[in-house]
Amino acid sequence: MAGATPKLIKELREMTGAGMLDCKNALNETDGDLEKAVQALREAGLGKAAKKAGNVAAEGVVAVKVNADNTIATMLELNAQTDFVAKNENFLNLTQEILSHAQANNIVDAETLVASTINGMAFSEFLNGKIATIGENLVARKLVSVSGTVVNGYVHTNGRVGVLLAATCDEAAKDKTSALLKSLAMHASAMKPTVISYTDLDPEFVDSENRAIVAEIIADNDELKRLGKPLKNIPDFVSRSQLTESAIANAKAAFEAELKEQGKPEKIWANIIPGKIERYITDNTQLDGRFALLSQAYVMNDKLTVEQAIAEVDASIKITEYIRFELGEGIEKVEEDFAAEVAKQMGK
């Protein structure tokens, strides 16, 4: 059955910037699956990455609590129906009360939280009382806790994004590790990595993105050629996980052949090839820079990757956990028929 409805075509166009006919064809080919249609368009070089977060509608707040010695951090997403209530003092106080309860009782997920007892009553009863007071439905949607040698967290000023990080380090490096984790959490809130290291990326995802990124660059080059501007290098790979010793050796051999053809003296090759290899690695690890925390350019000093920035603080620091919450992420958008709602209320 064809999956291209006018509503889905409109949504896919907004997500990718692709043309109407291309969106229609992609939706029909994927039976109306938006995620698969987005990927199909990207692999065909017809659309950019979807701005998924911008299509999610939910209100509430993300909050973080770190214990006194920076060994346990807890993060909560508490949802409300309106932004007005999310900024209400009673709602914000409730968020902190739930966080304190969770941390004090070693509660590490929302399921355990809902099953817990707080202030002598079942959590559901406690929350229903708050719902009656605040006047809106409230949901403790997500909760997580991390522990380690050192932990820290950050919530962006709008309360819509929160990050927790945990690390191991030498005893003498604990204080500077705590400060670094705070900065790294701020970085992650803005740059949205999904994993700590490129080694954590799923091989199937890497392969799929390899095709999509190459298609994007080819499409970009068509426009750059039209404008008479320098073209981008088209990579063979997109992640360090694909760069085997053999792949790098082949690249080095190609550079040597290129220099020989240009008539460059062999004695100066050693001064040229390392820079070419470094550029080759940069061009062929673009996916890591998008999704892997350690491979990203550090926002506090973009001359360094996050991994290099960590090493500069202390070589003993190893990131062990990373969790990022974005308010409403994953909640299905509900579109209401206003006319039908009015008619229903009028008893028609």
Side-chain angles (χ1 to χ4, degrees):
M1 179 178 176
T5 65
K7 175 179 174 293
L8 285 175
I9 292 171
K10 178 177 181 291
E11 192 166 351
L12 185 58
R13 289 191 72 193
E14 290 172 352
M15 292 171 76
T16 64
M20 184 180 294
L21 184 59
D22 293 321
C23 288
K24 179 181 178 181
N25 291 338
L27 285 163
N28 284 334
E29 289 169 7
T30 59
D31 293 325
D33 188 314
L34 268 176
E35 295 290 324
K36 290 181 180 178
V38 167
Q39 187 63 21
L41 286 171
R42 291 187 63 219
E43 290 187 15
L46 298 172
K48 300 295 184 182
K51 297 178 181 178
K52 299 173 188 174
N55 296 319
V56 174
E59 297 303 333
V61 71
V62 174
V64 165
K65 182 179 179 64
V66 182
N67 71 346
D69 63 359
N70 285 89
T71 57
I72 301 173
T74 309
M75 183 160 61
L76 168 71
E77 178 183 338
L78 185 64
N79 294 125
Q81 290 174 266
T82 65
D83 183 54
F84 177 77
V85 161
K87 295 174 181 176
N88 179 279
E89 186 177 354
N90 288 334
F91 179 83
L92 296 175
N93 289 340
L94 172 62
T95 302
Q96 294 304 314
E97 186 175 3
I98 293 173
L99 272 174
S100 296
H101 163 69
Q103 196 165 100
N105 291 280
N106 298 316
I107 296 171
V108 298
D109 56 49
E111 291 76 15
T112 308
L113 175 66
V114 170
S116 70
T117 299
I118 180 172
N119 297 343
M121 65 183 82
F123 184 82
S124 58
E125 183 183 349
F126 164 80
L127 195 59
N128 284 337
K130 299 298 182 181
I131 290 170
T133 301
I134 292 174
E136 280 193 9
N137 187 35
L138 308 174
V139 178
R141 180 168 171 257
K142 291 196 289 186
L143 181 109
V144 70
S145 180
V146 299
S147 58
T149 306
V150 183
V151 304
N152 216 333
Y154 169 77
V155 176
H156 193 58
T157 50
N158 61 10
R160 301 182 74 86
V161 178
V163 174
L164 297 185
L165 284 164
T168 57
C169 66
D170 292 342
E171 185 70 25
K174 281 187 176 182
D175 287 345
K176 53 187 176 183
T177 301
S178 175
L180 174 65
L181 291 185
K182 183 82 168 185
S183 294
L184 293 181
M186 293 173 69
H187 165 99
S189 74
M191 301 309 293
K192 304 182 181 181
T194 59
V195 295
I196 296 173
S197 168
Y198 70 84
T199 59
D200 302 319
L201 292 170
D202 180 79
E204 288 187 9
F205 173 70
V206 172
D207 183 59
S208 173
E209 286 296 302
N210 200 149
R211 296 191 300 272
I213 289 173
V214 167
E216 287 175 12
I217 293 172
I218 291 172
D220 287 345
N221 279 348
D222 288 341
E223 179 64 11
L224 291 171
K225 187 183 296 182
R226 186 183 71 81
L227 297 171
K229 294 184 177 180
L231 304 185
K232 298 178 180 178
N233 291 333
I234 298 174
D236 299 316
F237 309 108
V238 292
S239 174
R240 191 70 194 240
S241 61
Q242 300 170 301
L243 287 179
T244 61
E245 289 183 11
S246 175
I248 293 176
N250 288 340
K252 182 180 178 184
F255 294 139
E256 289 174 345
E258 180 185 301
L259 292 172
K260 184 176 182 179
E261 187 178 334
Q262 292 171 353
K264 302 284 186 184
E266 192 169 342
K267 62 183 179 182
I268 69 167
W269 290 5
N271 299 326
I272 300 173
I273 288 178
K276 286 183 171 288
I277 292 291
E278 186 177 344
R279 176 60 189 270
Y280 177 80
I281 290 172
T282 299
D283 285 342
N284 285 268
T285 56
Q286 295 182 49
L287 189 68
D288 301 345
R290 294 184 187 185
F291 294 103
L293 173 64
L294 296 178
S295 298
Q296 292 184 328
Y298 187 33
V299 294
M300 308 298 180
N301 180 358
D302 61 11
K303 291 183 173 61
L304 301 175
T305 64
V306 168
E307 186 170 29
Q308 290 166 339
I310 292 170
E312 282 204 351
V313 172
D314 195 283
S316 72
I317 301 171
K318 304 295 179 190
I319 305 297
T320 56
E321 288 189 78
Y322 157 63
I323 301 167
R324 184 182 185 276
F325 280 1
E326 186 154 351
L327 185 67
E329 191 171 29
I331 294 178
E332 290 290 335
K333 181 169 64 176
V334 177
E335 294 190 9
E336 296 183 6
D337 185 331
F338 181 70
E341 182 66 21
V342 171
K344 179 181 177 182
Q345 291 193 24
M346 294 179 68
K348 294 182 179 179

